[in-house]
Amino acid sequence: TDITGFGLLGHARNVADASQVTLTFRADKIPVFEGALEFTAKKMVSGAYAQTQDLLNGLVSLPANLDERLHRIIFDAETSGGLLICVAADRGDDLLRELLARGVKDAVEVGFVEKRGEAMLKVV
């Protein structure tokens, strides 16, 4: 799914719901545009930030020490142009290599898929 309009967690929710799995994101692997952390530190977010939090209430497990700036980024709908791809675990390294070989220089593994747990989405 493309990460526009509903933000990372909003789109991830749709994937997790349709697939009946839990998507787990590694906070330290989530790519962030240069300057985005500075903007969110000033609490500069879209009006959809609060709406996305409401939409995902009870569906997301977050670590207690999650950087508040990153919290704003992963819930805000003002993300732009990223692509979230889920593949079988044994194909992830191949996909990443292929994307990098084709010039997708920012391709990164941000997490993994698990059997559905208590939360539909987790950030660790």
Side-chain angles (χ1 to χ4, degrees), residues 30-82:
I30 297 171
V32 177
F33 288 122
E34 185 176 333
L37 292 173
E38 291 75 19
F39 280 112
T40 58
K42 297 176 184 176
K43 299 186 180 179
M44 298 176 78
V45 293
S46 75
Y49 170 66
Q51 291 173 339
T52 303
Q53 286 186 97
D54 289 344
L55 171 72
L56 299 177
N57 187 33
L59 302 178
V60 182
S61 171
L62 301 171
N65 65 341
L66 182 66
D67 185 330
E68 183 62 29
R69 300 171 305 165
L70 184 60
H71 181 279
R72 290 185 186 105
I73 288 171
I74 63 176
F75 277 92
D76 201 343
E78 288 297 324
T79 52
S80 179

Side-chain angles (χ1 to χ4, degrees), residues 21-22 26 29 35-36 40 48 69 75 83 87 93 95 98 101 110 112-113 123:
V21 296
T22 293
R26 294 181 178 103
K29 298 294 184 187
T40 58
R69 300 171 305 165
F75 277 92
L83 187 62
V87 298
D93 289 340
L95 175 61
E98 183 68 22
V110 295
F112 51 93
V113 178
V123 179

